[in-house]
């Protein structure tokens, strides 16, 4: 009986060793397969992510190229607009020059008309000379105060004159009768003539400010 039990026990011990080796090998194979599968899945994911990034970069590059094209087109349009504005400015300048030349033909008329209006009593003009837009006039006044009044009138009361300047004033005398002489002031005044376009602007500005001044002045009750 003992001999048979020992033989059976020995057989059981011998049969368990290959089973454990097989299980260990199976686990190792499964682990290796898992590693390979994980590597393959990771590679596929990495490839997909790379392709996605490449597609995004290609799309962005296309958008950038489109933006560059549009920017270049807008730059060309801006240059064209700038050129047109320069041409328009030059045309306006030439048009203004022609209008000024046409208006300057009437400057002597405006000069004489306004001068008659602005001359105070007791002031006489003996000579007058025009150079471009500047007029130099010489005359005789009954007093220095009359000359000052003429300067004020030329500077404030007429849109056709600007920057009146007293060049010279010299005391003199005029013989009223063989026995009677009167002291007078011989003067020289220089004043600038204003072009028609500028005179119209000054006249319009003066007309617009006059009602405002009248409305702001106090009313006596």
């Amino acid at each position: 009986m003992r001999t048979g039990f020992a033989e059976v026990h020995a057989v059981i011990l011998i049969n368990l060793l290959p089973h454990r080796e097989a299980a260990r090998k199976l686990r190792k194979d499964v682990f290796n397969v898992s590693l390979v599968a994980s590597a393959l899945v990771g590679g596929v994911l990495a490839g997909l992510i790379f392709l996605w990034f490449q597609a995004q970069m290609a799309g962005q590059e296309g958008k950038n190229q489109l933006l560059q094209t549009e920017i270049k087109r807008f730059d060309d349009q801006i240059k064209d607009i700038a050129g047109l504005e320069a041409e328009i400015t030059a045309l306006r300048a030439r048009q203004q020059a022609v209008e000024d030349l046409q208006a300057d033909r009437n400057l002597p008329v405006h000069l004489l008309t306004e001068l008659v209006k602005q001359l105070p009593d007791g002031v006489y003009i003996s000579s007058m000379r025009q150079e471009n837009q500047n007029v130099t006039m010489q005359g005789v006044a009954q007093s220095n105060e009359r000359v000052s009044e003429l300067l004020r009138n030329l500077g404030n009361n007429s849109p056709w004159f600007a920057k009146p300047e007293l060049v010279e004033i010299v005391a003199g005398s005029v013989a009223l009768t063989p026995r009677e002489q009167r002291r007078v002031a011989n003067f020289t005044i220089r004043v600038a003539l204003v072009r028609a376009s500028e005179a119209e602007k000054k006249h319009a500005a003066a007309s617009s400010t006059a009602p405002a001044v009248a409305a702001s002045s106090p009313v006596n009750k």
Side-chain angles (χ1 to χ4, degrees), residues 5 11 18 32 39 49-50 104 111 119 122 128 135 142 146 152 154 156 162 164 168 171 175 186 188 191 196 200 217:
F5 177 78
V11 172
N32 291 333
I49 293 173
F50 176 77
D104 287 348
L111 169 62
L119 276 180
M128 188 164 46
V135 176
Q142 292 180 355
R146 300 290 187 180
R152 287 193 300 270
L154 295 177
N156 302 326
E168 183 183 27
N186 299 312
T188 302
V191 65
E200 291 175 358
S217 61

Side-chain angles (χ1 to χ4, degrees), residues 17-18 31 53 74 77 84 94 100 126 149 152 155 173 196:
L17 291 176
F31 178 74
F53 275 116
F74 284 135
Q77 292 179 354
L84 290 175
R94 287 197 291 269
D100 289 339
S126 58
E149 184 179 356
R152 287 193 300 270
S173 61

Side-chain angles (χ1 to χ4, degrees), residues 111-195:
L111 169 62
L112 295 177
T113 303
E114 289 296 315
L115 192 58
V116 170
K117 292 180 181 179
Q118 305 307 326
L119 276 180
D121 294 335
V123 178
Y124 307 92
I125 302 297
S126 58
S127 66
M128 188 164 46
R129 184 178 68 257
Q130 179 181 354
E131 294 179 1
N132 297 325
Q133 298 301 117
N134 296 320
V135 176
T136 302
M137 59 185 73
Q138 295 177 338
V140 180
Q142 292 180 355
S143 63
N144 294 343
E145 288 75 12
R146 300 290 187 180
V147 178
S148 300
E149 184 179 356
L150 175 60
L151 288 172
R152 287 193 300 270
N153 291 346
L154 295 177
N156 302 326
N157 297 341
S158 175
W160 294 97
F161 297 113
K163 300 178 181 179
E165 177 187 0
L166 179 62
V167 178
E168 183 183 27
I169 185 167
V170 179
S173 61
V174 174
L176 299 179
T177 64
R179 295 184 178 182
E180 182 182 0
Q181 291 187 347
R182 177 174 294 181
R183 295 183 62 82
V184 294
N186 299 312
F187 64 87
T188 302
I189 291 177
R190 185 183 297 114
V191 65
L193 279 177
V194 178
R195 293 186 182 275

Side-chain angles (χ1 to χ4, degrees), residues 10-39:
V11 172
I12 292 172
L13 292 175
I14 292 172
N15 290 337
L16 288 177
L17 291 176
H19 177 72
R20 291 176 179 175
E21 285 293 331
R24 187 180 298 110
K25 183 178 180 183
L26 179 61
R27 288 196 300 272
K28 185 176 181 181
D29 292 340
V30 170
F31 178 74
N32 291 333
V33 170
S34 299
L35 287 178
V36 173
S38 299

